[in-house]
Every structure is written in C-alpha cells, then in structure tokens.
Amino acid sequence: MADVRAQLVTRVRGMLSEALGVTRTRLATADADLLEGRQRLERTRRAAAAVPDRVGAARDRRLAEIDARHTARLAELARRAAEAAGREAPGAASEPWDRWQATPAGRAEPPGAVRIGTVRIAGAEPVPALVPLLDAGHAHLAGGDREGLASVVPALLLRSVGRADPGAVRLYGYDPEHLGGGLAGFAPLGTAGLLTFVGPGGLGRLLDDLVEQIRRINATVLAGEYASLRELAAATGRRPEPWRVAVLLGGDELSRHERGQLDRVVRTGAACGVHLVVRGIDLPDDRTVTRIVVEEDDARIAGLPVVLDDPPPPALVTETCRAVASRVAAGPPPTPFTDLLPAPDEYWREDSAHGLSAPIGEGPHGRQVLLSLGDYPPHALIGGPSGTGKTNLIFAWIGALAARYSPAELEFYLLDFKEGVSFARFAKGRRDPSWLPHMRLVGINVNTDREFGLALLRFLAEELRRRADAAKRHEVTKLAELRAVDPAGHWPRIVAVVDEFQALLAGRDVVAREAADLLEDLARRGRSQGIHLVLASQDVRGIEALWGRPALVAQFTLRVALPKALRILAERNDAAQSLPRHHAVVNAESGLAEGNEVARIPSASDWETWSELQHRLWRMRPQDAAPARLFDGDAIPRLAEAPDFRALTAPEQGVPRNPVALLGEIIDVQSRSAALRLPRAPGRNLAVLGTRVDEACAVLDAAARSLARQYPPGTARFSLACLDPDADPAARALYEDLPGDASWYDEETVSELMAEVGDGLAAPGTPRTPHFLLLYAVDAAAGALAGKAGTRTGLEQLRRILHDGPERRTHVLAWWRGVARMRADLGGAGARTDQIGAWVALDVQGGELGSSLYPGSGGPDWYPRPWRGLYFDRAVHRTGQVIIPYGPSR
C-alpha cells in the first residue's frame, strides 16, 4: 500500500511539476505577447502622431504640382495667344514703333487686326492686345483719359494704312472740335485723295455717302455671290474695293437721320469694307463693335485690362503717309499677266466663227474687262502718249487672244513703224528659236519703209477679195456662214496690228493716198470677212490723220485710251485724262462717255513673262506650222537665204529660155525677190543708177549669181568690166565665184570687150551661148570708149550692144553713177532710152528719173534712203517698186 501511495505521490508530484512547467511556459508566452502588444501600441501611437505631418507635406507637394502645371499651362496659352496675334496682326500691324515699317499684305490677304497695347499675365510674356478693324468691325473709344484716347486713334490708323497696299485704305476725318487737328499727321494722304476732312455740319453727308457705298458694293460687287469683300478676295485673289475708315471725333448730338445712318453702317459696313473709329459718339451694341475704355489708371478692351502702347512718333506717321501718297500718285503696279490667261487645259478651246473676245485687264469691281472684235465692234483704235503702256497693252491683248484661239482660228499680222525690236520676239530668232504660232508677219523698224505698210494693206485687200469671192460662190455674206458651208476651207480671223500707223498716212504722196484708200476699204468691208484692223498711235497727229476721213473713223468703234490720250475718245469724254498708270479706258461705243470701262492692264511685255506663254503655245503648234515672216527694216537680206534664189535651178538639158536676174528683196509680205526677166526681146538690159558703190555692186552681184545658178557650166558667158577702184573688191569676189569661162576687163581692155561683142552682133545668126556684160561704173570709161574700137567708137559699140544685144542673147547689166552720165553715154540729153528696159535707182532723186525713163511727167515719188532702191521695168511695172539690195555674198 505504501508503495502504491508513494507511486501516486510521485505521479501527482510529476503531474504537478508538469502542469507548473506548462503554466510557466504559458505565462512567458503571455508576457511576450503583452510586450509585443505594448510595443505595437507604441508604434501605432507614434504612427498616428506622424500622419498629420505627412498628409500636410503631401498636400503641399500636390498643391505645388498643381501650381506649376497651372503656371506652365498659362505660359503655353500666352505663347499660343502671342503666336495667334502674330498671325492675325503680322508685320506693321503689331511691330514696335522703334522698328516699325509698312509691310503691305498680299492681294487676297486681309490686313486683319491691329495692336494697341498688351495684356499683362503673371508668369508669362505679355500678349498683344488686338483690335479687329479692317474687314472685321468698328472701334468705339470712351473714357476720361483724353490723352490716352488720343494716342489710340493714330496707332489704329497708322497700323491699318501700313498693313494694306498703298491706296487700299481711304480715311474720312470728322473732327469738329479740333477741325482736323487730331489727324494732322495723316494730312499727306490728302494729296493722293486718300484722306478727306469733313467740316462741322458735314457728318450727315459723310454718313449718307458711306451708306451709299455699302449699297453699291452689295448690289454690284458682291451681287449675292459673296457674303463679304473678304470672302470675295479669298475666293478670287482680287480686292476690287478699298477699305473706307471714317474717324468720327465727337460733335453735337446726332439727328434722327444721322443716328439711323450710323446704325446702318455699324450693322452692314464691315462686310463691305466700311469701318468706323468713333470717340465721343455712342455706337449701338453689335458683335462688330470693339469697345475701348481708357481711364487715368486703367484701360480695357471688351472688359479685358490692357497696357496701352505709346502713340506712334509723329515723324513716323508723316513719313509713312508721304511714302504711301507718293506710291499712289505713281499709280498702282500692274496685275499679273497670268490673270488674263485661261487654265492651261483650256487653251485653244474657243471658236472664232462669230468673233474674238478676250480680257484685257481687271475692272474697278474685280471683274475682267473684255475686248471683242467681230461684226460689232469690227476694228480698234489705241492711243496714248509715250510711256503710258501702249506696247504692253498690245502684248497683253495678243497673249490673251493667242491662249484662247488656235492658229486655225486666228492669225496675226503685226507692223511697228517706230524704231525698236520689241515685237521681234513673236518671230523665230537667234536668241529664242520659238515663235508665236498665230503670227504670220512681223514688221519692225519700218519707220522709213512706208512701202512695207502699203504692201501689208495690199495683201489684206487681196485676202479680202479672195474671201469675198468664196462667199459669193457659196452664196453667203459673213465669215461664220462661209465657215459653216465650207468647213474644209482655211478661214481664220485675221487681226492686223499697225503701231504708229500715222507714218502710213503722212504726206501727200502716192503711198499715203493709196494707204488711206485701202484702209478705208478694209475697214468698211473687212468686218464681214473676219479681217480686223487695230491701229495704234502715241502721237495725236496720228489720230488727227483719220479725222479727215469720217467714213474711216466711224468703222473704229472700239477705242482704247491710255492715260492722257487725246482724240481717241469722243470730244467731251475726258476719262483718259485722270487715269493712273497701268490703266486704260475701254470704249466700244465710238468713244461716247456712256461706253467707258476702266481696266487695269497687267504687265505682259517683259521677256520672261511673255516667253513662258510663247514657249507653251509653240510646243502646241501644228506639225506643218511655219515661223512668221520677219521683216526688219534695219537688216540687210542675204541672197543665199532668199526663197526665190534657192528655187532657181539649171535645166538638165539646154539653157533657160527666159533667165531671171534677181536684184534685191521686194518690200512686201511674201519675202519675194525683184526679178528682171531677160528674154530675147528689145530693151532687156539693166541700168543701176547712183553713186553708192556698195549698193550698186550688191545689185550687180545678185543679178550675176542668180543668172549663173540657172545655167549648166559652160552654157553661159559672163564678162565683168570694173572701172571704179572702189568697186574692185566686190567685182573681183564675184569674178572668182562665177564659172570658169568668166572674163575680166578693166579700163585699158574694156574697149576690146565692146569691139568684140559689138562686132559679133553684126555676124549672121544668133549666138548659142548667152552673154551677160556686167559693167561697173561704165561712165568712168567714157575716155577709153571715145576712141576707135574697130570701125566704131567704144561708146557706139556700147549703144549697139544695148540696142541689138538682147535679141541676140546678149544683155548688159551696167552701173552708171548718175542719170545724166547715162544719158551722155547713150547719145546726149535727147537720146532715146528705150534700150534700157529696166533700171534700179539708188541715191537718185525722183525728179531726175522723169521723161523717157519713167511714164508720165515729173518722175516718181522717190527719195533716196540707205540700202534702198527704186526698181522699174517698163515691160512689167506701172509704178516703181522699192527694193532692198542683197548684202555682200561673202
């Protein structure tokens, strides 16, 4: 029992010991948890105490970030606002006064708003404060700071004037308190009509005028197609009306009528370019009105505070206005030539059957002014003093027509009687191989060659006859009808332009009389057959030459008058006297005032402008197109280039029955050569008369070379006798180029030539070989020929050769240095001259050629000119024919 009890005690003690250990462990754990809890509590208390500081710091940091973003955003917005202001008001509209200068906007670019100060923004650059004015609205100034208000007005006006093209802004000043003193700096604009001062009591008339301008612009310029002038300019690239700015600086209370008119201008003026700058007069509330309030320490634009700029320096205002007035007085610059041209894909699309029509320039309202030629008006008269743009106008008209009508529809013939080569560009040249495909004839430097003008009129008269005959065959009367019934025929309209045409009508000689008759006939009948005349002159005498022929003047119903032109328009129509430069009055009603249209003529005559169009048209030319005939009165033609010379050929067998000697170029349209036919007939000899060595040698040289070209080698004989040392080089050059059987004679041997040829003519039969005697200065051999040459003297042999030679194939082509010398060699003053069938007179007066050399009495109307000769063949001509000797062949 005791053991059991001991065991139980031991077990109990073990259990109690174990329980105590467990309890102690749990207590230690609880103490550790308690300590950790207390530590966590302490940490929580410390963390809770740190939260307000952290939240405050985060809040401050967040607020700083927001403030930085706001400042950056504000600076960005200010920058963008400044850029927008720079775009809206560039250059003169916003530049500071210390570097300010006028910078006109483009033709279709509106000047926009103008700067009067800045808007200050904290932390950002100042932003320009702009006032929308031109094409935008009106400015109303109010407030108690009169000095500040007075500085705003010149800033608005100067920036507006400097931003627009010279003359594009017109000012109207109403200043009853200071009688215009508030706008004194702008007074220079008045000399160019750009500033009008309205006196006290004139406000009503000014407002009435502005309302009328608005009504007119709405009715005739905008005409329902556009909502405003700004929209029209953007769409067309043109601004047909100036801006009108009325500056109203106080005054009495407005009447009911004046108030009504002012309200109308406010409502409708901005769209029509009519604007108000008003101080001291109330304006109604309207979206177009910008209100500027200036107090002693505060200025606001539409409620926004601004810092006003200083006023512009008075000297800057005055100098700018003087420069603008000077530019306006000089006239506006011409518009671009391309304004007259259709789109490239529209070239040559027009039909000329019923007439020709093309723009010549821009009218006052931005619409093109047309020049038309047809049944009415049929012909045109252009006039204007030197330097007013007559040549440029002709270029512009030709270009506008040539771009619309193909060469099959239109042909040009151009003649310029003044000195110069500006029209030569229409023809093929060395500098530029292109030519205008429509051009058939270009005559330049013909001021001393009136015969060429007459030749053109004769050519047109022949063309008129040809067309009239065709119309009769087809039983029609007009060109349009002829083209309809004969579509395969070539019936283009012809426009003949004669510049300085009065040269044709000058004097009372046969050229003037025939030219006037041909002009009158062409003007009267040409309209129905599509032949139109355009006569131009810078000299009033040229116009006066027409007034003696009222039937001729009446046909020129289309009149174009350049600035200061006289006698172009009707007697009481003085519209041309006030024209600015680069403008013209176009009148299709014979010059009556009701037919006036003013056109602004583009610049078309400079080389680069015209060359671009001509090259484009040249590349479009038909494959068979030939360049225009160019006649230059100052140029000497070359025999080798003459079409008639190139056409000469030798027959394959025998010799030509009627050889032709070419003597020079005829002054005519077709570039023909003066030809002397040398058949076996009496009198077929040539005399060259005059003392000009080079020209006389040139005539004989061309005759010999053209004859030699028609004979195979060895089938013709040429004998040259040179009796003037000055002519020796030219004669020797010809001798060396002639066939090998040519013979050379001089003063010592010429008598032998006369004897040989004269005695040979006495032999029976006709020589088979033609013989041509080229005698240079034959009158110088009088002494050598006076002696015996066989049974006859040399002069007698010469007369025998002249008389009998042509029928025996022997022809004399001789140069005498005077008519009297030739008569002496032929037997004296009473000797017959019919053995000289043809002659070329050089420096010989027409009176010396009378009697037996020329039909009628008194001789031909001929006066000598350098490198010109009068050719007469009694077997062919009724009157003499002016020729140009061909230049040296070497």
Side-chain angles (χ1 to χ4, degrees):
M1 272 305 278
D3 293 334
V4 171
R5 192 177 291 131
Q7 291 177 350
L8 288 172
V9 170
T10 301
R11 184 181 300 174
V12 169
R13 286 178 178 173
M15 293 176 63
L16 290 174
S17 179
E18 183 179 354
L20 180 60
V22 170
T23 302
R24 288 176 177 171
T25 300
R26 290 180 176 174
L27 178 60
T29 302
D31 290 340
D33 290 342
L34 177 61
L35 179 59
E36 183 181 356
R38 288 174 176 172
Q39 291 174 346
R40 188 182 302 119
L41 177 61
E42 183 62 26
R43 287 196 303 271
T44 302
R45 286 174 177 171
R46 288 198 303 267
V51 165
D53 294 337
R54 188 170 64 252
V55 170
R59 179 197 60 200
D60 293 343
R61 186 171 58 254
R62 181 61 176 165
L63 289 175
E65 291 174 357
I66 293 172
D67 186 60
R69 285 201 302 270
H70 173 73
T71 302
R73 179 62 175 167
L74 193 62
E76 175 64 15
L77 290 175
R79 185 186 64 80
R80 292 184 181 182
E83 290 179 353
R87 290 192 299 269
E88 183 66 20
S94 62
E95 282 288 332
W97 298 123
D98 58 352
R99 59 175 184 268
W100 189 90
Q101 61 180 355
T103 55
R107 300 174 66 212
E109 180 186 357
V114 295
R115 164 179 164 161
I116 65 168
T118 57
V119 177
R120 302 290 184 178
I121 301 175
E125 292 293 326
V127 176
L130 306 183
V131 175
L133 188 61
L134 301 187
D135 275 342
H138 317 281
H140 179 256
L141 286 73
D145 187 355
R146 298 182 63 84
E147 183 176 347
L149 289 170
S151 69
V152 173
V153 174
L156 286 172
L157 299 184
L158 184 61
R159 292 192 183 281
S160 298
V161 169
R163 187 64 186 137
D165 285 334
V169 175
R170 297 182 183 177
L171 304 180
Y172 301 85
Y174 175 68
D175 187 9
E177 295 182 10
H178 298 92
L179 300 179
L183 300 176
F186 294 87
L189 295 177
T191 60
L194 302 178
L195 172 61
T196 303
F197 285 109
V198 179
L203 178 60
R205 292 190 300 273
L206 172 59
L207 293 174
D208 290 344
D209 179 66
L210 295 178
V211 169
E212 174 58 25
Q213 295 291 351
I214 295 170
R215 184 207 62 76
R216 177 186 60 80
I217 291 170
N218 278 319
T220 63
V221 181
L222 301 178
E225 298 182 35
Y226 302 97
S228 67
L229 288 177
R230 182 170 187 167
E231 182 181 319
L232 182 151
T236 64
R238 302 182 181 90
R239 184 173 183 90
E241 292 285 332
W243 287 278
R244 296 173 172 86
V245 180
V247 185
L248 312 181
L249 304 180
D252 298 331
E253 185 69 25
L254 271 61
S255 67
R256 182 177 180 180
H257 173 75
E258 291 171 342
R259 171 56 61 185
Q261 295 291 67
L262 184 66
D263 292 350
R264 293 183 181 93
V265 174
V266 170
R267 291 195 309 271
T268 62
C272 298
V274 178
H275 307 280
L276 300 171
V277 175
V278 178
R279 189 188 73 199
I281 300 176
D282 290 335
L283 290 185
D285 290 333
D286 191 271
R287 62 180 181 82
T288 61
V289 176
T290 299
R291 300 195 183 273
I292 305 169
V293 179
V294 183
E295 302 293 351
E296 289 292 341
D297 299 319
D298 182 45
R300 294 178 177 272
I301 299 179
L304 184 67
V306 299
V307 177
L308 295 178
D309 289 337
D310 292 332
L316 181 62
V317 176
T318 304
E319 292 171 4
T320 301
C321 292
R322 284 175 180 166
V324 170
S326 177
R327 286 282 304 275
V328 172
T335 58
F337 176 50
T338 52
D339 287 357
L340 300 186
L341 305 180
D345 57 352
E346 295 294 324
Y347 281 15
W348 293 4
R349 295 289 185 86
E350 300 291 336
D351 187 326
S352 68
H354 296 280
L356 302 166
S357 184
I360 194 60
E362 179 184 278
H365 305 315
R367 289 174 171 79
Q368 291 183 326
V369 176
L370 299 179
L371 282 182
S372 300
L373 291 173
D375 288 344
Y376 189 90
H379 311 291
L381 193 59
I382 301 173
S386 177
T388 55
K390 176 167 55 65
T391 300
N392 180 73
L393 185 144
I394 293 173
F395 267 81
W397 195 5
I398 289 176
L401 287 171
R404 286 168 170 78
Y405 300 92
S406 71
E409 299 288 333
L410 170 64
E411 290 182 349
F412 287 111
Y413 293 80
L414 181 60
L415 194 60
D416 187 1
F417 273 101
K418 68 177 183 298
E419 295 183 10
V421 295
S422 57
F423 293 126
R425 69 186 64 179
F426 295 119
K428 183 177 180 180
R430 291 188 298 272
R431 176 183 175 185
D432 185 354
S434 72
W435 69 86
L436 189 64
H438 310 70
M439 198 65 62
R440 306 312 316 140
L441 173 70
V442 178
I444 59 175
N445 292 319
V446 293
N447 49 307
T448 60
D449 289 314
R450 297 163 61 231
E451 295 84 1
F452 190 79
L454 186 59
L456 171 61
L457 297 181
R458 289 171 176 168
F459 172 84
L460 294 176
E462 177 60 25
E463 176 65 17
L464 176 60
R465 185 199 60 77
R466 187 180 74 88
R467 295 185 176 206
D469 289 346
K472 290 179 182 178
R473 288 196 305 271
H474 292 285
E475 298 181 346
V476 296
T477 58
K478 296 183 179 180
L479 180 68
E481 298 169 347
L482 177 60
R483 291 178 55 162
V485 299
D486 184 20
H490 180 65
W491 308 113
R493 286 194 180 266
I494 291 175
V495 175
V497 182
V498 184
D499 197 6
E500 302 305 330
F501 70 93
Q502 70 274 6
L504 264 177
L505 306 178
R508 298 182 179 180
D509 56 8
V510 293
V511 173
R513 290 193 294 271
E514 184 178 357
D517 291 339
L518 288 171
L519 271 176
E520 187 167 338
D521 184 60
L522 286 168
R524 180 171 51 85
R525 299 195 298 130
R527 70 169 74 201
S528 61
Q529 302 304 331
I531 298 177
H532 308 283
L533 301 174
V534 177
L535 304 184
S537 176
Q538 68 180 14
D539 191 337
V540 67
R541 291 174 298 177
I543 310 303
E544 289 174 343
L546 295 177
W547 296 110
R549 291 176 172 263
L552 175 58
V553 177
Q555 303 299 325
F556 289 82
T557 53
L558 177 58
R559 313 284 177 84
V560 182
L562 293 158
K564 309 302 181 184
L566 299 174
R567 302 298 300 273
I568 291 290
L569 304 175
E571 184 176 357
R572 296 186 178 181
N573 187 353
D574 59 356
Q577 304 309 306
S578 57
L579 278 180
R581 291 181 62 198
H582 313 301
H583 285 69
V585 175
V586 176
N587 189 301
E589 301 296 336
S590 298
L592 297 177
E594 53 267 27
N596 287 349
E597 288 186 275
V598 176
R600 186 180 179 190
I601 311 301
S603 176
S605 58
D606 64 275
W607 175 266
E608 294 299 330
T609 299
W610 180 261
S611 179
E612 182 178 351
L613 172 64
Q614 180 162 303
H615 278 201
R616 180 185 291 273
L617 299 180
W618 181 63
R619 291 191 293 269
M620 295 170 60
R621 71 190 186 280
Q623 292 184 351
D624 58 347
R629 149 91 156 122
L630 175 62
F631 176 83
D632 185 351
D634 287 347
I636 300 176
R638 300 287 176 175
L639 178 66
E641 300 171 0
D644 289 336
F645 180 76
R646 293 198 300 266
L648 294 176
T649 57
E652 295 181 0
Q653 295 180 349
V655 296
R657 296 182 58 187
N658 294 307
V660 175
L662 304 183
L663 309 178
E665 182 177 278
I666 301 173
I667 297 182
D668 73 348
V669 173
Q670 291 92 353
S671 186
R672 296 175 300 167
S673 297
L676 170 63
R677 297 197 174 275
L678 298 175
R680 292 174 56 193
R684 293 289 83 197
N685 301 301
L686 173 71
V688 182
L689 306 171
T691 61
R692 291 179 181 149
V693 177
D694 292 343
E695 298 171 27
C697 291
V699 174
L700 295 180
D701 183 275
R705 292 179 187 276
S706 56
L707 287 168
R709 190 176 176 88
Q710 300 167 64
Y711 289 91
T715 61
R717 179 184 174 190
F718 292 86
S719 297
L720 284 74
C722 182
L723 308 172
D724 185 342
D726 292 337
D728 191 81
R732 285 283 182 183
L734 173 62
Y735 170 69
E736 293 172 2
D737 291 343
L738 287 175
D741 55 354
S743 303
W744 178 266
Y745 299 87
D746 55 22
E747 187 174 357
E748 295 180 357
T749 59
V750 66
S751 59
E752 298 176 7
L753 173 64
M754 296 297 107
E756 175 197 348
V757 177
D759 293 343
L761 292 176
T766 301
R768 299 185 60 184
T769 302
H771 191 182
F772 301 100
L773 282 71
L774 293 116
L775 309 179
Y776 290 76
V778 64
D779 55 284
L785 296 179
K788 290 289 185 179
T791 58
R792 296 172 180 264
T793 66
L795 286 176
E796 290 174 339
Q797 292 285 24
L798 174 60
R799 295 165 192 160
R800 180 177 184 176
I801 296 169
L802 290 169
H803 188 272
D804 299 333
E807 295 179 82
R808 307 288 298 279
R809 294 199 178 104
T810 300
H811 305 273
V812 175
L813 294 87
W815 164 35
W816 278 275
R817 292 174 297 183
V819 176
R821 286 173 175 255
M822 183 189 72
R823 291 186 185 278
D825 287 350
L826 295 181
R832 296 179 60 85
T833 58
D834 52 357
Q835 63 267 44
I836 303 297
W839 47 261
V840 175
L842 300 173
D843 55 338
V844 175
Q845 294 294 334
E848 300 179 55
L849 299 167
S851 185
S852 58
L853 282 177
Y854 195 80
S857 60
D861 285 331
W862 166 250
Y863 60 94
R865 289 120 66 190
W867 280 97
R868 297 294 184 271
L870 184 66
Y871 169 48
F872 181 76
D873 185 344
R874 66 174 72 245
V876 177
H877 298 144
R878 295 175 56 191
T879 59
Q881 189 175 58
V882 179
I883 67 171
I884 307 174
Y886 289 112
S889 298
R890 289 191 180 183

